[in-house]
Amino acid sequence: MEFHQLLNGTLNAHFKMCRSKFSELGLSSGQPKILEKLVELEGCMQKELAEACEVEPATITSILPNMEKKGLIKRETKVFPSGTRALSVFLTEKGREMAEEVSRIFSETEQLSFSGFTKDEKEAFLSLLSRVYENIK
């Protein structure tokens, strides 16, 4: 099988498995990644969140209102000394709990993905895949 076929097939299988579990939690596409990144970047600007999620700022802008309605995040206006304003994004307690569930789902999927691999094989695979990613990003 060709590299692109393996990569695409693996991505699709991973996405399908995670998506069904995220759907059970009431999370739509894009929301799990945002929750995951907000654990690391609590209080970041929407633009920074978009960069961390590797999506356009407009994508983040379209996803966040639903997350706010669900009580997963809150946005607060930050005023800079220059007078400019930007929205900072924070997880709520419900959002933190949901982020933990997202992390658990990703961990379970990773464990299944690497079943039968030795620790060294897993580390080698991740190292090689990281190099491929760096080459093409």
Side-chain angles (χ1 to χ4, degrees), residues 35-87:
L35 290 170
E36 185 178 44
K37 290 298 178 184
L38 280 175
V39 168
E40 303 166 21
L41 303 171
E42 183 79 19
C44 68
M45 303 295 133
Q46 288 183 192
K47 180 181 177 183
E48 295 167 324
L49 185 57
E51 288 172 12
C53 291
E54 298 183 47
V55 297
E56 295 297 319
T59 302
I60 294 294
T61 301
S62 69
I63 295 173
L64 293 183
N66 254 348
M67 294 181 75
E68 202 165 23
K69 285 179 193 169
K70 291 178 183 179
L72 300 173
I73 63 156
K74 61 182 176 182
R75 294 184 285 178
E76 296 176 4
T77 302
K78 182 175 183 178
V79 180
F80 294 94
S82 64
T84 58
R85 298 172 181 259
L87 288 174

Side-chain angles (χ1 to χ4, degrees), residues 22-37:
F22 293 146
S23 181
E24 290 172 14
L25 295 174
L27 296 175
S28 63
S29 182
Q31 292 180 347
K33 183 190 289 190
I34 290 171
L35 290 170
E36 185 178 44
K37 290 298 178 184

